[in-house]
Amino acid sequence: MEIAIVGSGYVGLVAAAAFAEIGHQVICVDNDAAKVAALSRGESLIHERFLPELLARHRGQRLRFTTSIGEAVRASDVIFIAVGTPTDETGKADLSTVEQVVRAIARELRGATREKKIIVEKSTVPVGTSRWISRVMLEAGARTDLFDVVCNPEFLREGCAVTDFLYPHRIVAGGSAESCERLREIYAPIVDGSYAEREDAVPIPDGATTPASFIATSAESAEVIKNASNAFLAMKISFINAVANVCEAVGADVEQVREGVGSDARIGNEFLRPGLGYGGSCFPKDLVAFRSTAADAGYDFRLLEEVIRINAHQREMFLRKVHDALWTLKGKRLAVLGLAFKGGTDDVRESPAIAFIRMLLREGASVAAFDPAAAANARALFSKDEITICDDLYDTADSADALLILTDWEEFGQLDFDRLRAVMKQAVLIDGRNMYEPEFVVQAGFAYYSIGRASHPRAKAASEVDRAA
Ligand code: NAD
């Protein structure tokens, strides 16, 4: 099928590459000319596993890029809208970009006599958006028999977006039976499992369920499914963070508790990792928007308010820990590992690491930070000289009073403690992502503070350090 994707960001670009991978002709649109030029030259622009390979495989063949929405609409049968839907000042989703795109599509369809086009709402939007899209299309002069609107929410996680897209748990389509059926055809190789059997397929990740189930619903239900899914996952994170705080207060170990709780299949252990709280471009905005949608409809969804409050409070709790370790922070030099909102991505939008660094700076500390992929994006968020962003992990630790882990990059779980101890002023590790067993860190000669577990303020003396650790 001929597919257009409007918006070449984290979702649009991954969707475009994946649709090309399963056999469609894809034209990807963005109004950022520099981005389109870079993508056309072969750059992937975002840090996402398997994306460079897929772009290289399909660019110029089944995948092309343009700034012209008209060209994309004319060339395709199905148009996915994957532009941003940030929160506005009132807490609602700002849908102005979605509306601009819809009007641009309508302009192209005005006077057209060709067969029907399907407009797919891929962006995360509040309930009722599908209806609004139809209304705006009609107002703008598109003929009712020449378009239909379907909601097809995206559930991918940054960091494993390509495999999440190609091996999803489920695909949800909300709209008329006929258009849902067209979507099922688009996703056929994923829904019938034939993609997974291809020799050159992107490898199936652990825990993937293939083939994916296909769930056809009303547009309203599909819109709620996306909002409710994100709210539930964020709630799990806030829940385990609240439990972590109880564990600390009563002398329990949250890592043991989460294993015991999460191994119950009714609960599941995903999104049950204590830490600095959730962040990123989705959960924070989607929760606020969902609460606002519920309020507009007359329901006071207070549970969501509490989820949001616990999330913000978690950073305060972690700051207390830094104080427990170092007392005052003014003039202290802190080494920070992690700037991205989670491991595996270069995305720093609403990153808890960035928010926490700002809290440290307000306390008068100086910060040197390292991130394997997000350094360039993070540099744009700080003024010159506000923090030092290093290209090498061990450079951050030079003369540091403590090392803080703020993002769960896998490589931060394999630190060379001898090397760190040799360059740091004080051997203190404050771990906001529970990347280590406390015993291991203490054996390596570090004081260790983590989430929901007893603190170990006294490191072993260098002479006692078990080199085997
Ligand atoms: P993004 O900011 O990375 O990408 C949006 C893209 O749209 C940008 O490249 C921007 O230049 C482009 N754009 C803006 N206005 C445009 C216009 N008028 N015409 C053409 N292009 C335009 O956003 P994202 O992270 O990809 O998110 C997109 C949507 O998907 C949001 O609604 C988000 O909530 C949802 N979503 C995101 C994720 C995620 O993990 N990032 C997961 C699921 C759903």
Side-chain angles (χ1 to χ4, degrees), residues 12-331:
L13 189 57
V14 168
F19 281 140
E21 172 74 356
I22 60 171
H24 301 296
Q25 287 293 333
V26 183
I27 177 162
C28 205
V29 193
D30 207 284
N31 63 350
D32 180 338
K35 196 175 249 193
V36 171
L39 289 167
S40 305
R41 278 196 305 272
E43 295 169 32
S44 356
L45 294 185
I46 57 174
H47 180 90
E48 204 52 72
R49 207 162 168 230
F50 299 117
L51 186 61
E53 291 89 328
L54 291 196
L55 292 176
R57 196 181 280 181
H58 301 297
R59 189 173 42 87
Q61 320 269 329
R62 288 206 286 261
L63 176 60
R64 64 200 167 99
F65 300 95
T66 178
T67 51
S68 165
I69 191 162
E71 179 193 348
V73 170
R74 285 191 298 278
S76 25
D77 313 303
V78 181
I79 304 144
F80 286 75
I81 302 177
V83 294
T85 49
T87 313
D88 68 13
E89 311 74 51
T90 67
K92 295 189 195 319
D94 177 350
L95 300 176
S96 53
T97 309
V98 173
E99 182 175 346
Q100 276 168 28
V101 170
V102 171
R103 289 191 183 278
I105 296 171
R107 267 196 301 278
E108 223 30 70
L109 294 195
R110 221 173 7 221
T113 50
R114 277 188 52 194
E115 68 201 75
K116 196 167 181 170
K117 309 241 179 204
I118 298 181
I119 300 168
V120 186
E121 189 184 281
K122 191 62 150 166
S123 299
T124 301
V125 290
V127 185
T129 304
S130 184
R131 246 180 292 127
W132 266 109
I133 293 177
S134 296
R135 198 166 137 183
V136 167
M137 288 291 294
L138 292 172
E139 270 172 27
R143 262 176 40 197
T144 183
D145 57 328
L146 284 183
F147 75 92
D148 195 13
V149 182
V150 194
C151 173
N152 171 223
E154 183 48 57
F155 301 100
L156 64 76
R157 294 162 296 174
E158 287 177 25
C160 44
V162 170
T163 46
D164 277 355
F165 197 96
L166 289 168
Y167 302 106
H169 293 290
R170 79 302 205 187
I171 291 160
V172 173
S176 70
E178 184 197 344
S179 293
C180 288
E181 195 45 44
R182 290 291 294 283
L183 271 197
R184 188 199 291 269
E185 286 165 22
I186 290 177
Y187 285 102
I190 297 175
V191 176
D192 65 20
S194 58
Y195 175 70
E197 283 166 15
R198 257 173 47 183
E199 256 176 33
D200 62 347
V202 170
I204 305 172
D206 289 344
T209 39
T210 175
S213 57
F214 187 89
I215 302 171
T217 68
S218 68
E220 287 77 9
S221 297
E223 288 163 344
V224 174
I225 287 169
K226 175 60 191 175
N227 284 277
S229 299
N230 275 7
F232 193 85
L233 294 173
M235 181 181 73
K236 277 186 92 175
I237 294 172
S238 279
F239 182 82
I240 198 64
N241 280 333
V243 169
N245 295 329
V246 174
C247 285
E248 268 182 47
V250 301
D253 177 333
V254 74
E255 291 300 322
Q256 295 175 355
V257 170
R258 87 176 179 91
E259 191 188 346
V261 173
S263 55
D264 182 330
R266 293 170 301 176
I267 296 171
N269 51 27
E270 287 204 53
F271 286 75
L272 212 59
R273 291 194 58 148
L276 268 185
Y278 61 76
S281 68
C282 292
F283 286 179
K285 83 169 170 64
D286 292 348
L287 254 74
V288 172
F290 194 30
R291 184 185 57 178
S292 169
T293 302
D296 285 353
Y299 181 69
D300 186 6
F301 205 155
R302 280 200 215 157
L303 175 64
L304 298 186
E305 232 151 88
E306 194 52 20
V307 170
I308 295 166
R309 190 197 63 77
I310 292 170
N311 198 55
H313 182 61
Q314 198 59 12
R315 286 173 209 161
E316 301 291 338
M317 296 295 287
F318 193 63
L319 185 63
R320 267 188 230 174
K321 227 171 261 287
V322 180
H323 280 292
D324 287 350
L326 300 175
W327 192 17
T328 64
L329 296 187
K330 197 166 179 179

Side-chain angles (χ1 to χ4, degrees), residues 253 256 417 429 431 435-450 453-456 458-460 464-466 468-469:
D253 177 333
Q256 295 175 355
F417 286 100
L429 176 58
D431 182 355
M435 305 283 291
Y436 287 95
E437 285 296 330
E439 199 43 40
F440 178 88
V441 181
V442 172
Q443 285 294 335
F446 272 72
Y448 185 58
Y449 298 78
S450 58
R453 300 185 289 188
S455 294
H456 298 266
R458 274 174 47 81
K460 277 196 164 188
E464 299 174 290
V465 169
D466 175 2

